[in-house]
């Protein structure tokens, strides 16, 4: 079974530029998550989708970050304009159900490492 | 809000040494508890989990027991290998109030370095 796919793996941009990340979850997984992992910290949830609807985006900086999952499968996360403090690894995860419990394990992709100069 | 506290790293051990990584949590209700591992260049992988008090999760020689009285979920392994070198994250999951959807909250991670 294929895992969660993410691209690109690495991205370097100048501040105030825009960037987009792509995620393809495990086939059949209804729930998709985007996390931000700053160096030396644990992952922090940015947004959670159930199919193509948003479940939780309370920690998404909506003035510069946006995400969509139009067909309920793959997803894109965009930052526009980027700031220095956005340098982090952006992780995508998916789960079959509502996530987190013993029957709804979250599976993580390899992440995209963003460096903002 | 819910939170997880882990011991700071790096933890440096020789091969075959005993490992303990401490984890304590703060949560309302009864969360599920997890240990995730992140090998260099890879995504997070679930290592083990426990869903209720006194449950013991185990996998690949690692163990952790859900201790409600001390709000802890310490990770242990009797004999570490060089291949265990990675970053280990403790996490909890609890349902959101209105939707029932689970939310994972992670600790800051502990880097383990095992030398031959």
């Amino acid at each position: 079974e294929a895992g969660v796919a993410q691209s690109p793996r690495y991205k370097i941009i100048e501040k105030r530029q825009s960037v987009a990340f792509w995620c393809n979850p495990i086939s059949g997984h209804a729930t998709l998550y985007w996390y931000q992992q700053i160096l030396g910290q644990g992952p922090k949830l940015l947004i959670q989708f159930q199919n193509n609807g948003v479940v939780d985006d309370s920690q998404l900086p909506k003035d510069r970050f946006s995400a969509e999952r139009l067909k309920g499968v793959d997803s894109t996360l965009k930052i526009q304009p980027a700031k220095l403090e956005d340098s982090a690894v952006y992780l995508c995860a998916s789960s079959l159900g509502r996530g987190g419990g013993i029957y709804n394990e979250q599976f993580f992709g390899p992440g995209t490492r963003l460096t903002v100069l | 809000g819910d939170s997880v506290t882990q011991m700071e790293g790096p933890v440096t051990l020789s091969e075959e040494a005993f490992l303990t990584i401490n984890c304590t949590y703060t949560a309302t209700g009864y969360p599920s508890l997890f240990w995730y591992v992140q090998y260099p260049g890879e995504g997070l992988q679930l290592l083990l989990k426990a869903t209720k008090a006194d449950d013991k999760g185990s996998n690949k020689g690692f163990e952790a027991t859900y201790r409600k009285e001390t709000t802890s979920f310490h990770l242990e392994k009797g004999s570490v290998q060089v291949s265990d070198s990675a970053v280990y994250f403790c996490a909890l999951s609890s349902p959101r109030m209105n939707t029932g959807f689970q939310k994972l909250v992670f600790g800051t991670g502990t880097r383990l370095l095992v030398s031959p």
Side-chain angles (χ1 to χ4, degrees), chain A residues 9 37 42 48 56 98-100, chain B residues 34 41 49 89 96 99 102 107:
Chain A
R9 292 293 309 275
Q37 185 179 9
Q48 178 180 351
D56 183 355
R98 296 188 168 191
Chain B
F34 305 82
K49 57 194 174 189
F89 292 90
R96 295 187 182 85
T99 68
Q102 299 276 343

Side-chain angles (χ1 to χ4, degrees), chain A residues 2-6 22-33 69 72-75 92-95 107:
Chain A
V4 177
Q6 290 187 248
W22 175 82
C23 172
N24 191 25
I26 293 172
S27 178
H29 279 196
T31 310
L32 185 147
Y33 315 77
R69 193 184 183 201
V73 182
D74 56 353
S75 174
C92 180
S94 69
S95 66
F107 294 85

Side-chain angles (χ1 to χ4, degrees), chain B residues 4 13-15 17 23 29-30 33 36 46 50 57 64-65 73 82 93 97:
Chain B
V4 175
L13 295 173
S14 298
E15 206 165 25
C23 171
Y30 303 97
L33 301 174
Y36 281 82
L46 180 62
T65 301
F73 193 54
V82 173
S93 169
M97 287 294 292

